[in-house]
Amino acid sequence: MPSANRLRTGDQALVREINLSLILNHLFEHPLLSRADLAGVTGLNKSTVSSLVQELLDNGLVREVGLNSNHIGRPSVLLELDNKAGYIVCCEIGVDFISVICSDFGTEIIWRHREDTHDLTGQDAIIKRILALLHQAVNVGAEACANCRVLGLSVGAPGLIDQTSGTLLFAPNLEWQNVPLRAILHNEFPAIPIFVENEANMALLGEYFFGAAKGYDEILFISAGVGLGGAVILGGQLFKGKTGFASEFGHMTMDSAGLPCKCGNRGCWETQASQSAVFRHIRYQIESGKPTLLSALTQNNLDLLTIPLMIQAAQEHDSLALQAFEQVGHYLGVGIASLVNAYNPDLIVFGGILSLAGEFLLPIIQAELHARALHWHSAATRVVLAQHGSDACVIGGIAMTFNHILSHPIRTTVIYG
């Protein structure tokens, strides 16, 4: 049995970390606070706050940024999070692309790179390319932020992630199974904290910390790309369910006799409401002889079809592009209305590559929501586009590292101090 002194030491360390976290979170939410301000908002005494702030200053997480003389008495020194505390690397593994960014601790993007993966054959080739890009991002961060530490490396992937091991268990649209992502990343970057998460969960965290969902606590996030993903925050906490696989909304059965889905089911929501569904509709209509600007825009090669090209055609009033967006907007709205009835969120954030077509899709989604959701639910719910659009996932990678540091500042300083 541990001695009383050992228990007291552990308790004191825990309390100190909680108080350090409290200080950091207040400075994140409200930059430019003085030590006296922090004592006031936290309820901690001034000497405790001074000691905590000094520890954060010594470890480079906080900096002093001038004086506040707008009050009676001696000017007070103002504090904020130090954007030079280190840098953060984030990656999204898309079905047909890789996106990587490097940011400082103030979320300013130092470097970004996005490329499609059509020319890469097989899982091993894609992972090899991901690792090369992550090494490049780490090196860029080191050059841009002299004497800085790497605060974290986050990877988002479209599938079921085992939270304990960081293994990508199943990603139907990638056709990957049982890929030990965290172990692979740890082997390449042994000194860096590694975070692996479902891409929709990561994207929602990005919008919650730094985007359209900031200030909300009951949020439904829909990510429409090649497939369809989702995430939920309830009471300010990411909802993961019993096994950590919650919010796989794209695989809700919407039509039991519908099209086969790559997950093995039929009639999943993502077979109706995704980029793949849009492109399938366009191909069918063109093959049926329907005229469209998209033929010229793709040089009669539909392998070149993209959502930006569809948006261009729709803005030029191309009936086929408009019809495709109307159809996918209808199916998105039907599914979202059901989820609103289930979760009663105060905000719906629509992200992913299809969110680029928000000018065409949002009015249809909102019309279906108001027609199909219970009035008391729909009246209380706003629908907005993800502020970071198709970058929401990599911005969410920044949020994951931020959240780790704000929650565990002692662990951060022990690892990197």
Side-chain angles (χ1 to χ4, degrees):
M1 183 174 179
S3 69
N5 286 338
R6 185 174 177 184
L7 282 174
R8 189 176 301 116
T9 300
D11 291 345
Q12 289 171 350
L14 176 61
V15 169
R16 189 162 188 83
E17 177 155 68
I18 291 170
N19 288 338
L20 285 166
S21 177
L22 196 60
I23 297 291
L24 285 175
N25 276 278
H26 277 291
L27 288 173
F28 171 64
E29 294 291 341
H30 307 286
L32 303 181
L33 295 177
S34 68
R35 289 167 176 79
D37 294 330
L38 288 167
V41 296
T42 63
L44 300 170
N45 65 55
K46 291 182 179 180
S47 62
T48 298
V49 167
S50 292
S51 174
L52 294 168
V53 167
Q54 189 59 52
E55 183 172 340
L56 294 171
L57 287 168
D58 291 343
N59 284 288
L61 293 176
V62 167
R63 65 182 177 186
E64 297 178 332
V65 287
L67 301 175
N68 177 16
S69 57
N70 295 326
H71 57 78
I72 298 173
R74 295 176 59 187
S76 53
V77 177
L78 297 176
L79 303 159
E80 68 178 7
L81 300 185
D82 189 349
N83 62 356
K84 301 300 184 185
Y87 60 98
I88 300 167
V89 173
C90 316
C91 172
E92 179 181 2
I93 306 172
V95 175
D96 55 3
F97 70 90
I98 303 166
S99 178
V100 179
I101 65 170
C102 176
S103 81
D104 67 13
F105 192 52
T107 70
E108 180 179 343
I109 305 301
I110 298 169
W111 178 81
R112 66 165 64 238
H113 177 84
R114 185 183 177 105
E115 65 181 50
D116 69 54
T117 52
H118 292 117
D119 295 333
L120 298 176
T121 303
Q123 174 184 306
D124 290 344
I126 293 172
I127 290 176
K128 182 178 180 181
R129 182 60 182 154
I130 289 166
L131 294 176
L133 289 172
L134 290 174
H135 276 290
Q136 186 175 352
V138 168
N139 291 337
V140 168
E143 291 174 5
C145 189
N147 300 317
C148 283
R149 52 204 168 185
V150 192
L151 297 170
L153 188 157
S154 303
V155 173
L160 304 181
I161 305 290
D162 181 275
Q163 298 297 312
T164 302
S165 65
T167 298
L168 178 59
L169 297 176
F170 182 48
N173 288 305
L174 280 173
E175 300 181 358
W176 291 8
Q177 291 189 56
N178 299 317
V179 183
L181 284 178
R182 187 185 296 152
I184 291 169
L185 294 165
H186 180 72
N187 185 59
E188 290 284 323
F189 306 98
I192 304 175
I194 305 293
F195 306 96
V196 178
E197 183 57 273
N198 169 269
E199 59 87 17
N201 284 344
M202 192 177 284
L204 176 51
L205 288 175
E207 294 295 323
Y208 183 64
F209 272 75
F210 307 118
K214 191 169 185 179
Y216 291 85
D217 286 328
E218 312 290 335
I219 310 154
L220 170 65
F221 180 80
I222 300 297
S223 176
V226 173
L228 186 70
V232 173
I233 282 178
L234 299 176
Q237 298 295 317
L238 190 64
F239 176 68
K240 293 194 174 184
K242 175 68 175 178
T243 57
F245 308 141
S247 305
E248 284 292 330
F249 302 133
H251 299 293
M252 298 187 303
T253 300
M254 303 295 279
D255 180 359
S256 60
L259 295 171
C261 178
K262 290 186 176 181
C263 75
N265 197 2
R266 298 186 71 90
C268 291
W269 190 21
E270 75 171 39
T271 66
Q272 303 172 331
S274 62
Q275 174 183 285
S276 300
V278 172
F279 288 178
R280 186 176 61 248
H281 176 84
I282 292 294
R283 284 181 179 276
Y284 176 79
Q285 295 298 327
I286 289 178
E287 289 169 0
S288 299
K290 298 289 178 64
T292 174
L293 292 173
L294 292 167
S295 297
L297 291 174
T298 60
Q299 301 173 350
N300 292 312
N301 179 3
L302 289 183
D303 290 338
L304 301 178
L305 185 61
T306 64
I307 294 300
L309 285 178
M310 286 197 58
I311 293 169
Q312 181 181 339
Q315 289 171 337
E316 296 180 30
H317 310 289
D318 181 79
S319 61
L320 192 54
L322 290 168
Q323 183 186 68
F325 283 142
E326 182 176 356
Q327 183 182 70
V328 77
H330 161 75
Y331 286 122
L332 282 166
V334 169
I336 287 172
S338 297
L339 293 171
V340 166
N341 283 340
Y343 287 101
N344 188 27
D346 55 357
L347 186 72
I348 299 164
V349 181
F350 178 47
I353 192 68
L354 276 181
S355 69
L356 299 178
E359 62 185 294
F360 304 105
L361 295 175
L362 271 193
I364 302 168
I365 291 170
Q366 289 170 327
E368 294 291 347
L369 174 62
H370 290 296
R372 298 175 185 278
L374 293 172
H375 167 73
W376 300 271
H377 289 165
S378 63
T381 303
R382 294 183 61 225
V383 185
V384 299
L385 295 175
Q387 181 176 318
H388 297 290
S390 56
D391 273 348
C393 179
V394 284
I395 298 299
I398 300 174
M400 290 198 75
T401 296
F402 244 86
N403 189 48
H404 175 75
I405 292 171
L406 295 184
S407 302
H408 305 289
I410 286 181
R411 198 176 306 175
T412 302
T413 56
V414 166
I415 293 173
Y416 298 112

